[in-house]
Amino acid sequence: MTDQALNASVDLMSQRGLGPEAIRVFTHYFQQLQAGAQGTIPEDSIEPLGDIQTLGEVKVSDEEARAALSKTAVIKLNGGLGTGMGMTGAKSALEVRDGLTFLDIIALQVLALRKRWDVELPLVLMNSFRTSQESLDILAKYPDLPVEGLPLDFIQNAEPKLCPDGLMPVKWPKDPELEWCPPGHGDIYVSLVTSGVLDALLDKGIRYAFLSNSDNLGATCDPDVAAWMVEHGLPYVAEVCKRTKSDRKGGHLAVRKSDGRIVLRDTAMVAEGEERYFRDIKRHSTFNANNLWIDLEVLRERMTAKQGVLGLPIIVNRKNVDPADASSPEVIQMESAMGTAIEVFEGSEAILVPRTRFRPVKTTNDLLVIRSDFFSLDDDYHVVAAVDGPEPFVDLDSAYRFVSGFEKRFPKGVPSMRDCTSLRVIGDPVFGRNVRCVGEVLIDGYRRVLDDAVLGELPGPTTPTPPSTSGDLRTVDEHLKAILSTLEPSPTEWTPLTEALGLVVARDVRSKVDLPRFDNSSMDGYAVRADSLAGTGEAPVRLHIVGEVAAGDDPTFSVGPGEAARIMTGAPIPDGADAVIAVEDTDGAATGEVECHAAVSRGRYVRPCGEDVASGSTIVGAGEVVGARTIALLAACGHAGVEVHRRPRVVVLSTGSELVQPGQPLGPGQIHDSNSAMLWAAAVGAGASAEIRGAVGDSEDELLAALDEIVTEADVVITSGGVSMGAFDVVKSALRGKGVEFVRVAMQPGKPQGYGLLAGPDGRQVPLFALPGNPVSSFVSFEVFVRPALRRLMRLTPEKRRPRPATLISGVESFAGRRQFGRAVVSRSAEGTLVAAPVAGQGSHFVADLSRANALFVVPEDVTELVAGEVVDVLVLDKDA
């Protein structure tokens, strides 16, 4: 079957006019795919990259730079459609700033380099068959850009998309062009040959090429790198940047143990279960910027010797035949990455470049920053930061994912980001004009950000609170931000359906089957041909019964004209039948002939195959929360499990020599440990898995020994007690200086708090929450700080409980400068509004009154008294309240 499939693809490529080199490369990868290649690089086969040359240490003269640049061409990969941002045309045609598209800025950068260095410096685009015309139309406004004897673009090769089952080329009559795909940007080397551009460049005296993505505006042709490459006679140079947390998903270079060559390991090349090594930024401390330099003479020699097959590692990509339609069938695209060529050319090197050379726009998060006043264009059209410091971190909600949604929500332009360190938006507010973001900004629940607004340190939908005047007190919002800023979503894992309830789906799930799987009956009756009953308006029609079909049967007979088959609900429709007549419209005969009293239309009472769900269509999208109905759909579509952000493992540990497990006898001065059970239940209620470890006494060594064991298996640790100022506050004394910070928070109850990250195995960091020991303080602290953290780990939104307005039945008092979280019983009035009755015991030790409360009422820091009848925000704890 696969030989037939390969031949079918090769025939299509020949008919399309693709050259022999492209067909040989396709055949090379097809045979690897046929043999089960996954294109992975195991961790034990590589070593970290080690020390490399830094661009800042390269010293070249102006003459050396000019000489190198005079032999260099700029080649931009420009085949992307930007489907990940909801675009259908060339991504490089998107306006990025100052009314200029990517291509405008690239053209202006090249023209500025020509003028400054007095060199020809050709610009050539590698386009796909879908981006060429649109891109050339944009460049037409720059008449001085073309170089005599060289084209402005060449077309990347194409290959058939393959059906996963059997590897035959896919058929998509709706749009036959979607049956084809580019073979990844590793095809650039083959396309340079087959297009004739490689020979044309060499004939013009161009020896070197700088290759980069058109959406990376930091990737300008740096003369220093060109001169360094020429000086050392290097065949191939890859630019890398220092890796940060936000780069953990990007590919990195490493050294292959077997031959000492530098290799590129991209995300799709990570072996299953080794994601933690790939994301370890201490072990693999740089990432591949995909800015590459290549000696074109060496490339031609190698391509000639290998007949066009460089042998780059295969990347197996699974996508939809229509990238804009998640319900279209899944296909396989065989690809390669241009950066993996580093292992092919002996003597290849890497060079460490500043982050300014890596300014890609992959998402609308990046687009917001690049359009903002954090960046500007200098006289040479380089993208430069307007202020010192790292770029703001931006995390926009899903409503902003596509460019169309992004533009609708910033109709007056993006906010000022010069003074912003991070912007996180939950929901889909529309931004007004002249909005300014300052510091860490969280927008949670707003419907509109007004004109001329200044956003900074915002706590969410409630009114921002003034800074505390208590000196060393931290506000509630400051402490929560400090916690959430350290957390990232839990790793993903395949989870059985019975264990996935309440978790967030990590990637789109497609149906393995059609629903229904076959045409079946929605009624008890008789399967017939509709034409056989055409005359029942005048008199009953008698049909010969040829068989019976029950649910689960596989009928081997067919129904012809004048025939019927007795059929039950859910049973498959036998061949020949195209309708069902309900049993109540007949005499109900079981054998012989059935008398029919009504006509039926074709398709009557027939559930068509795939009517509910088509095989290969997306049934559950990434980001959806698994519920009972989701589980039913997944199971019906053939899935026993689903990939989700896994449930955090929480370990609860109480401290104090006075604690005794519930059910055990109490000695003098002892109490039962209620906090552990309460925090366990709260963690499970928030969606985590949890366990209780026995309470430890007031010994630092005992506590540290327990934690050393716990961090090997826990994702989150919660302790209660031992965080105040007492002589036996063991948690504070043992963990201060070990990564856990102990602070006083301007809240009541729960002022003493501790939080930090403990070192776990494999570099894993385990959050530890050190909560107060009083039961109410511990519970309130969990609700305010731990619950949002657990929900962030699971990617559940909203992370915080939404405040709801309620009318107080009785007055309350509060300390100035502290946010009070009181306990109340909330119910609905006759008018349907919420009313809140504060419980009698508001002290931090009143467990009984805590158990009766179903909500927390919130008194702001600047309010000391509320009287009956005033409206207060409440956080409802019980779903049925």
Side-chain angles (χ1 to χ4, degrees), residues 722-745:
V723 296
S724 295
M725 304 296 290
F728 297 102
D729 283 328
V730 61
V731 175
K732 190 172 184 178
S733 60
L735 296 180
R736 189 191 293 273
K738 298 185 183 297
V740 178
E741 182 183 15
F742 292 89
V743 298
R744 296 191 307 149
V745 178

Side-chain angles (χ1 to χ4, degrees), residues 177-429:
E177 276 301 305
L178 290 177
E179 298 169 2
W180 295 84
C181 65
H185 46 65
D187 178 68
I188 189 170
Y189 308 112
V190 186
S191 293
L192 278 168
V193 173
T194 57
S195 66
V197 171
L198 179 59
D199 286 339
L201 287 168
L202 288 168
D203 290 346
K204 288 282 293 183
I206 301 298
R207 173 75 182 266
Y208 304 96
F210 171 57
L211 284 58
S212 60
N213 296 323
S214 61
D215 65 0
N216 180 6
L217 292 177
T220 57
C221 188
D222 191 314
D224 289 351
V225 183
W228 178 71
M229 184 180 185
V230 172
E231 179 186 357
H232 293 278
L234 301 174
Y236 188 101
V237 173
E239 296 185 15
V240 298
C241 298
K242 277 291 184 186
R243 215 169 176 208
T244 65
K245 277 183 169 181
S246 52
D247 306 311
R248 291 186 298 178
K249 294 182 179 179
H252 66 82
L253 299 182
V255 178
R256 188 162 53 204
K257 292 179 180 178
S258 61
D259 58 10
R261 291 204 175 185
I262 299 175
V263 297
L264 168 65
R265 181 168 66 167
D266 229 324
T267 311
M269 305 165 78
V270 179
E272 186 175 355
E274 294 194 344
E275 291 81 3
R276 67 184 185 280
Y277 300 118
F278 180 75
R279 294 193 297 261
D280 188 343
I281 63 175
K282 292 183 179 178
R283 177 172 171 79
H284 300 293
S285 59
T286 60
F287 71 91
N288 175 47
N290 221 32
N291 301 341
L292 308 175
W293 301 76
I294 190 165
D295 184 322
L296 296 177
E297 285 191 1
V298 176
L299 174 63
R300 182 163 64 178
E301 292 170 4
R302 182 57 57 91
M303 292 293 286
T304 302
K306 296 283 188 179
Q307 294 186 301
V309 183
L310 281 180
L312 307 184
I314 187 174
I315 298 174
V316 180
N317 245 327
R318 296 181 182 270
K319 298 187 177 182
N320 299 102
V321 64
D322 184 350
D325 181 3
S327 66
S328 62
E330 186 179 88
V331 293
I332 288 176
Q333 297 181 195
M334 299 186 302
E335 301 178 7
S336 62
M338 70 174 184
T340 59
I342 195 168
E343 67 182 69
V344 174
F345 298 97
E346 187 173 356
S348 297
E349 291 287 351
I351 186 168
L352 183 64
V353 300
R355 190 75 180 214
T356 54
R357 292 189 58 74
F358 186 71
R359 300 215 189 280
V361 178
K362 299 297 183 186
T363 67
T364 49
N365 295 332
D366 305 323
L367 182 61
L368 186 151
V369 180
I370 208 77
R371 280 189 180 179
S372 77
D373 59 357
F374 186 87
F375 287 115
S376 63
L377 295 175
D378 67 11
D379 292 340
D380 292 329
Y381 293 93
H382 293 167
V383 178
V384 295
V387 293
D388 294 331
E391 296 176 24
F393 172 80
V394 175
D395 183 11
L396 302 175
D397 213 332
S398 57
Y400 300 79
R401 177 186 172 190
F402 293 152
V403 172
S404 57
F406 178 91
E407 301 286 11
K408 288 177 183 176
R409 288 161 179 81
F410 296 106
K412 307 298 183 183
V414 301
S416 167
M417 304 291 286
R418 289 174 62 98
D419 302 311
C420 182
T421 53
S422 69
L423 168 63
R424 187 155 190 256
V425 179
I426 299 173
D428 62 344

Side-chain angles (χ1 to χ4, degrees), residues 1-18 23 26-27 30 34 158-163 165-171 179-180 334:
M1 179 64 182
T2 47
D3 288 340
Q4 179 184 352
L6 175 58
N7 292 336
S9 290
V10 168
D11 288 345
L12 289 172
M13 294 178 75
S14 298
Q15 294 169 21
R16 194 178 176 95
L18 293 164
I23 293 175
F26 176 85
T27 301
F30 188 97
Q34 180 181 353
E159 65 183 19
K161 299 176 182 178
L162 305 177
C163 298
D165 185 11
L167 303 183
M168 288 290 289
V170 71
K171 296 294 183 185
E179 298 169 2
W180 295 84
M334 299 186 302

Side-chain angles (χ1 to χ4, degrees), residues 768-803:
L768 177 138
F769 293 84
L771 307 184
N774 279 320
V776 178
S777 300
S778 191
F779 176 81
V780 169
S781 299
F782 180 95
E783 278 294 317
V784 176
F785 302 124
V786 186
R787 188 177 187 276
L790 295 178
R791 290 180 65 84
R792 171 163 291 194
L793 291 174
M794 292 184 283
R795 285 195 73 90
L796 289 169
T797 55
E799 293 169 348
K800 300 181 293 182
R801 294 191 190 275
R802 297 285 196 209

Side-chain angles (χ1 to χ4, degrees), residues 828-847:
R828 289 204 174 273
S829 68
E831 293 77 23
T833 59
L834 293 181
V835 294
V839 299
Q842 290 292 325
S844 60
H845 61 291
F846 286 115
V847 181

